[in-house]
Amino acid sequence: MRVLDASFVQGFMRMADDGWQQGWHERNGGNLSYRIRPEEIEQVKEELVPGVWTPIGTTVPALAGEYFLVTGSGKYFRNVMTRPEDSICIIELDEKGENYRICWGLTGGGRPTSELPSHLMNHEVKVLATGGKHRVIYHAHPANTIALTFVLPLTDEAFTRELWEMATECPVVFPSGIGVVPWMVPGGREIAVATSELMKQYDVAIWAHHGMFCSGEDFDLTFGLMHTVEKSAEILVKVLSMTSVKRQTILPDDFRRLAVDFKVTLPEKFLYEK
Ligand code: 13P
Ligand code: ZN
């Protein structure tokens, strides 16, 4: 089968285009990665041409030998639908999880996203934490979430609680909460370590003054998670634009009742009295 005809590639392209249409990917902003199943890579094997081994910039031994579909560095989400073979690539990791090689894509040259260390360290944490269920890591630059990083305290507690309060579905969609990474230089191992540490507890990490990372089982769930958090952030931006004092809101005991009916566990650290 041709790579571009495979359903995981079609799903990846659709998700990238959805993110572009949401306005979350100005220029080359954002990046996406998918951990390919063995049977999926088998389907497209004859089109793979391995390139040279290149250091990842970190070590991910739990992902040794795995294949990933990832966006290219400097490539535009806007072009993924029309020029997929130049915008995205399939990479293979070596037996130590130290190097990658491009096996398909990036036909005009280039390399995988500069956030590859963060993507792969997040994948590694999620493989270990979910028994391999999570396959998608998504980074975007959604404006409302970024705006809040100039206004709210940069704590997991503040972001989780304020965003839970903005829509009743939020604690059900991201019950474990949201982690916050303070401003750091992007693109390297340091921010990857900080983010993946948060991903041990959460499926969402916000990078102050930069954007958001989400992890999920498939394209629908991961896109839906980013969409839900950003929608909630949009409501909070609107509320804060009208008033600094909410007249009414969802209270800690309301969240506790919701948790029982929807069968989710909401950590008490987010249900503090204000
Ligand atoms: P890349 O073009 O290297 O993926 O970088 C975009 C980005 O959002 C960096 O954080
Ligand atoms: Zn970014």
Side-chain angles (χ1 to χ4, degrees):
M1 180 188 285
R2 291 190 58 225
V3 169
L4 287 176
D5 294 332
S7 64
F8 71 94
V9 181
Q10 289 290 321
F12 184 100
M13 288 165 54
R14 180 179 166 214
M15 177 160 163
D17 197 58
D18 286 344
W20 155 247
Q21 290 188 35
Q22 289 294 326
W24 299 339
H25 299 285
E26 77 292 340
R27 205 172 180 280
N28 65 309
N31 21 77
L32 176 61
S33 65
Y34 171 72
R35 188 166 56 83
I36 304 171
R37 291 186 165 82
E39 61 271 25
E40 290 170 328
I41 204 71
E42 206 50 51
Q43 289 174 345
V44 299
K45 206 93 198 203
E46 65 251 42
E47 254 200 277
L48 304 184
V49 182
V52 293
W53 291 111
T54 309
I56 294 167
T58 189
T59 313
V60 283
L63 302 177
E66 297 244 28
Y67 289 81
F68 293 83
L69 182 59
V70 297
T71 49
S73 186
K75 302 295 179 182
Y76 291 24
F77 272 53
R78 179 169 170 253
N79 294 334
V80 168
M81 268 303 182
T82 49
R83 294 209 295 277
E85 62 292 327
D86 181 50
S87 306
I88 65 180
C89 61
I90 291 177
I91 59 168
E92 177 191 8
L93 305 194
D94 70 6
E95 289 312 314
K96 286 187 169 160
E98 287 175 359
N99 298 284
Y100 72 85
R101 58 182 178 184
I102 297 171
C103 299
W104 176 90
L106 293 179
T107 49
R111 58 188 177 90
T113 172
S114 59
E115 305 296 359
L116 192 64
S118 281
H119 279 260
L120 294 181
M121 290 190 84
N122 289 342
H123 276 292
E124 184 175 52
V125 159
K126 288 302 181 187
V127 161
L128 298 170
T130 71
K133 274 197 196 146
H134 280 211
R135 293 194 169 270
V136 183
I137 299 288
Y138 183 30
H139 170 58
H141 295 172
N144 294 287
T145 301
I146 297 169
L148 290 177
T149 67
F150 295 90
V151 176
L152 294 182
L154 294 176
T155 64
D156 305 358
E157 287 78 8
F159 269 81
T160 301
R161 176 63 176 278
E162 293 305 319
L163 292 174
W164 277 0
E165 276 185 43
M166 289 304 110
T168 299
E169 65 168 332
C170 285
V172 179
V173 175
F174 48 96
S176 50
I178 293 177
V180 180
V181 179
W183 188 86
M184 290 174 82
V185 176
R189 188 171 182 275
E190 203 193 351
I191 198 166
V193 170
T195 311
S196 60
E197 197 54 43
L198 292 172
M199 284 291 183
K200 289 178 183 169
Q201 292 180 64
Y202 309 118
D203 293 335
V204 184
I206 290 172
W207 282 3
H209 324 324
H210 183 145
M212 183 169 18
F213 265 86
C214 288
S215 172
E217 292 182 23
D218 59 27
F219 298 123
D220 280 351
L221 286 165
T222 315
F223 185 83
L225 180 56
M226 178 82 67
H227 204 185
T228 305
V229 174
E230 172 59 5
K231 175 81 178 280
S232 183
E234 182 182 350
I235 299 168
L236 184 52
V237 167
K238 288 184 199 292
V239 171
L240 292 172
S241 307
M242 290 185 280
T243 177
S244 58
V245 187
K246 291 172 218 153
R247 186 171 183 137
Q248 55 270 322
T249 187
I250 307 171
L251 297 168
D253 275 344
D254 299 330
F255 286 119
R256 292 186 184 101
R257 278 167 38 226
L258 188 78
V260 173
D261 273 26
F262 282 82
K263 299 182 177 48
V264 289
T265 305
L266 301 179
E268 278 291 319
K269 68 173 172 173
F270 301 128
L271 302 180
Y272 50 86
E273 292 301 327
K274 287 189 193 169

